[in-house]
Amino acid sequence: MAKVFDTNSRVDGFRMPGEHEAQEAIWMAWPERTDSWQWGAKPAQAAFVEVAKAIAAETPVNMAVSYRQYANARALLPPHIRVVEMTTNDSWMRDMGPSYVINGEGERRGISWQFNAWGGFVDGLYFPWDADDAVAQKICEFHGDDIYQAPLVLEGGSIHVDGEGTVYTTEECLLHPSRNPDLTREEIEEYLINYLNVSKVIWLPQGLYNDVDTNGHIDNLIHVPRPGEIVLSWCDDPSDPQYDISREAMSVLLNETDAQGRQIKIHKIPVPEPMYIREEEAIGFDACEGMNRASGVRLAGSYANFLITNRRIVFPLLCKGRDEEARAALADIFPDNEIIGVEARDILLGGGNIHCITQQVPMA
């Protein structure tokens, strides 16, 4: 049984490694929720299978699956992908899974944040969310890792770390009244510093345009390829609302240094051409008060929502006009990594993308 510590990473000498550091495994969760996913989640399941296969060629994948869908998932997934029976409310593993920390002595612990389905009773996407909130501890138990229960409402997609003392987040999300309304910005920073063992918090004002489901998660706007560098979603069309958001983020980053005092190098990656829910994509969902899947709604598509997993980059294919431009940008940023694209519109229709549906377990 995993031990639950009442201290924190900073006190105990643990730190959250960057995504570019060595990984032991990747966790995903099987989609089946019929108000999140179109047509009984069958198109999404096919997309998740392709993402899992792309990752598993480099890093072992564990897929959390409910008892109802266990046989189906086992039949659709190749045998080298492990299927683990686990109850969830939905399938956004980045946000409900543990944020892992490690120390210099080969030890690993998980952080279980408080999960409230991106907003609780203020603007959360669904209720109940208790099964999702229990996933982090279950994964730690699976690996035999001890755990910190952090007293902070936070999703894994709302933070990016560089592994060397810097965490990036957005004011739009972490200061939203649906997360921790009783805490000040300074108190939230203190929790981040203590549980992630960082020394600097860099706040960007907003997330990607119309990323309303998550209230502006950082992982849809930027990625951290390595310490001292940022991949920033970029838009050159002044008529697009993303144009100003990208420039505002760049202005903040250019006027900041990271925890090690470095000027931050910025790599631009294009946003897809504006993507909207098509008429045929607005049907086939069960009714849900928390999620807007109406025809004509702009999707929060982003090539920054990719996964770094050991020597491989798995990124979403979203738009034929920009996919190859995004691939070329990633190849320049990651010259030593294999760049793999996976068709991901059916994931985007659920509200996120490849980074959102994955969570890494670092090498201890």
Side-chain angles (χ1 to χ4, degrees):
M1 180 176 176
K3 179 179 179 181
V4 179
F5 284 85
D6 58 4
T7 53
N8 59 58
S9 305
R10 191 173 185 84
V11 168
D12 297 337
F14 286 75
R15 67 174 179 91
M16 185 174 176
E19 200 171 305
H20 61 280
E21 298 184 54
Q23 298 172 8
E24 177 182 311
I26 295 290
W27 278 85
M28 299 175 64
W30 190 249
E32 61 177 282
R33 191 182 179 98
T34 53
D35 53 4
S36 291
W37 305 103
Q38 191 180 32
W39 303 123
K42 297 311 175 189
Q45 288 171 6
F48 274 54
V49 167
E50 294 307 310
V51 172
K53 287 162 60 177
I55 296 167
E58 176 64 37
T59 307
V61 173
N62 299 323
M63 184 73 72
V65 181
S66 75
Y67 73 92
R68 294 178 299 272
Q69 279 286 312
Y70 188 93
N72 181 45
R74 182 67 282 169
L76 294 176
L77 289 162
H80 62 284
I81 293 174
R82 177 184 282 142
V83 176
V84 181
E85 186 176 313
M86 189 180 298
T87 304
T88 63
N89 298 114
D90 204 355
S91 49
W92 303 104
M93 185 57 79
R94 176 67 49 180
D95 293 343
M96 61 185 170
S99 297
Y100 266 105
V101 292
I102 58 175
N103 66 11
E105 299 172 7
E107 297 177 290
R108 184 175 64 204
R109 293 177 184 172
I111 304 169
S112 175
W113 309 100
Q114 307 302 303
F115 181 79
N116 73 351
W118 308 274
F121 294 115
V122 176
D123 66 348
L125 300 191
Y126 50 73
F127 177 83
W129 53 76
D130 56 326
D132 283 352
D133 193 35
V135 163
Q137 183 162 354
K138 290 178 180 179
I139 288 175
C140 290
E141 293 274 2
F142 180 93
H143 288 285
D145 296 324
D146 293 331
I147 195 166
Y148 296 109
Q149 285 284 357
L152 184 72
V153 175
L154 183 141
E155 306 94 39
S158 70
I159 55 171
H160 259 311
V161 301
D162 66 357
E164 294 188 359
T166 312
V167 60
Y168 299 85
T169 191
T170 67
E171 296 171 347
E172 181 183 359
C173 182
L174 288 202
L175 302 185
H176 197 278
S178 66
R179 297 309 197 277
N180 299 282
D182 297 330
L183 298 179
T184 65
R185 176 184 174 127
E186 291 72 27
E187 288 169 333
I188 292 170
E189 277 202 14
E190 186 175 0
Y191 278 118
L192 295 175
I193 288 167
N194 287 335
Y195 280 91
L196 301 173
N197 194 4
V198 296
S199 56
K200 184 157 190 178
V201 183
I202 294 180
W203 296 84
L204 299 183
Q206 299 180 72
L208 197 78
Y209 175 67
N210 212 37
D211 189 5
V212 293
D213 282 359
T214 72
N215 305 113
H217 270 189
I218 193 77
D219 70 347
N220 234 5
L221 181 68
I222 70 165
H223 211 303
V224 181
R226 58 190 66 88
E229 301 183 26
I230 288 294
V231 179
L232 173 63
S233 295
W234 193 254
C235 175
D236 282 321
D237 179 1
S239 68
D240 191 321
Q242 184 58 43
Y243 181 91
D244 289 335
I245 293 172
S246 295
R247 278 154 182 77
E248 187 177 34
M250 174 174 269
S251 177
V252 171
L253 293 168
L254 289 176
N255 285 283
E256 285 278 9
T257 56
D258 68 10
Q260 303 301 319
R262 291 175 291 230
Q263 294 292 323
I264 299 167
K265 181 179 180 180
I266 300 173
H267 305 274
K268 297 176 184 176
I269 193 167
V271 293
E273 295 166 0
M275 303 171 66
Y276 301 91
I277 297 178
R278 302 168 187 147
E279 188 173 347
E280 66 272 17
E281 293 171 333
I283 57 176
F285 294 92
D286 286 356
C288 177
E289 292 183 8
M291 292 174 272
N292 183 4
R293 301 290 183 260
S295 176
V297 171
R298 180 160 170 176
L299 295 163
S302 170
Y303 292 114
N305 204 300
F306 60 86
L307 175 71
I308 308 171
T309 181
N310 294 322
R311 295 165 298 180
R312 179 167 282 210
I313 308 298
V314 183
F315 82 102
L317 299 176
L318 297 170
C319 153
K320 293 190 185 302
R322 299 275 168 83
D323 286 348
E324 290 310 309
E325 189 180 347
R327 185 192 300 274
L330 291 169
D332 286 341
I333 297 164
F334 298 98
D336 299 323
N337 295 65
E338 188 177 11
I339 313 298
I340 304 296
V342 179
E343 292 289 345
R345 187 177 179 101
D346 284 317
I347 303 172
L348 179 58
L349 286 171
N353 227 291
I354 289 173
H355 196 257
C356 304
I357 66 172
T358 56
Q359 180 60 273
Q360 68 273 8
V361 179
M363 200 72 72

